[in-house]
Amino acid sequence: MPDHPRFESLEGLRGTGKSTIAPMLAAAREAVLVPTVPALYQPLRHEVDKRTNVDARMCLYLSALFTAADEIQHHLEDGVPVVVESYFARCLASHRALGARLGVTLPAWLPKPVAYHLVCADDERRRRLAARNKPTSRWDALVETVTDQVMDAYATFPMHRIDTTGLSPGEVLRVITATDTQGAHSHADTEPVGAHPHLLPSVPRHPAGTRRP
């Protein structure tokens, strides 16, 4: 057993399995699944998502994440393991790809997860998205136009890479839970996300997306 309660995050593009695997991983770890957009932010989230300002949207999601980080820290201090479906990596990577102009340095005090970057072959990922019974927001659609940029931004974060292509949820879960004993994935840096300040440099606004009405 680890000396400290586990804190684990699942990162990746839509359709790679995060929302399916997160509750399964939490159950396997006997962990609490903490939403990284807390309930109090949901009404404002819906309103901001209707607008076109990527920097404003990024600030909202950062605020939600810092609020969630306080809850995560309390659980960890109480000895309770935590799982989250995406953390700061997704927020920074996706908004960077969409043209966010803000420079962000993550403070050293943030709870530091072991992060798993879920990836999937694009044709299978798109089939999964097409089979979903949930609405697609304008921002979801925009991110689908810049997936290469999102992946490039993700590459700056240390994470264990988990390929979910062709795997059942149970098989993905087994790969993740076996990662501790197998060591770092061949594409992973073992330093947890947030172990050092992460600077998000200024990036030009994406011409095809965030300025549209």
Side-chain angles (χ1 to χ4, degrees):
M1 295 292 292
D3 294 332
H4 304 285
R6 288 186 176 96
F7 174 28
E8 297 167 291
S9 68
L10 300 177
E11 305 288 343
L13 296 172
R14 294 169 59 246
T16 55
K18 298 185 304 298
S19 60
T20 298
I21 302 302
M24 297 173 62
L25 180 61
R29 301 298 203 197
E30 297 184 342
V32 61
L33 182 63
V34 173
T36 47
V37 180
L40 66 95
Y41 282 88
Q42 292 296 343
L44 185 56
R45 173 191 185 181
H46 293 312
E47 290 303 314
V48 170
D49 277 355
K50 295 176 184 177
R51 301 177 182 271
T52 61
N53 189 318
V54 66
D55 295 311
R57 185 177 189 269
M58 181 177 174
C59 286
L60 172 69
Y61 278 77
L62 286 171
S63 178
L65 283 161
F66 279 114
T67 301
D70 285 339
E71 179 182 352
I72 291 165
Q73 185 62 44
H74 290 316
H75 285 302
L76 297 176
E77 288 173 354
D78 289 340
V80 178
V82 174
V83 170
V84 296
E85 179 195 334
S86 78
Y87 197 48
F88 284 90
R90 185 183 185 190
C91 176
L92 295 175
S94 60
H95 287 95
R96 175 177 182 173
L98 289 168
R101 296 170 295 179
L102 299 175
V104 176
T105 300
L106 298 184
W109 58 260
L110 282 174
K112 301 169 181 62
V114 173
Y116 305 97
H117 183 195
L118 306 189
V119 300
C120 182
D122 199 55
D123 57 346
E124 181 172 332
R125 188 179 68 83
R126 292 185 183 279
R127 286 197 299 271
R128 293 178 184 179
L129 291 175
R132 280 184 171 182
N133 184 24
K134 60 190 298 187
T136 299
S137 73
R138 173 182 172 276
W139 290 97
D140 291 336
L142 282 176
V143 169
E144 287 299 312
T145 70
V146 292
T147 54
D148 287 345
Q149 293 94 318
V150 174
M151 293 296 284
D152 287 345
Y154 264 136
T156 66
F157 290 87
M159 296 186 285
H160 298 277
R161 185 176 182 273
I162 307 292
D163 192 341
T164 68
T165 307
L167 299 183
S168 69
E171 289 170 331
V172 174
L173 180 63
R174 285 193 289 274
V175 172
I176 291 173
T177 55
T179 299
D180 285 347
T181 57
Q182 292 176 348
H185 190 281
S186 59
H187 290 83
D189 181 331
T190 56
E191 186 179 13
V193 172
H196 55 81
H198 182 88
L199 178 66
L200 179 66
S202 178
V203 178
R205 186 176 293 275
H206 188 262
T210 55
R211 278 303 208 189
R212 294 186 302 187

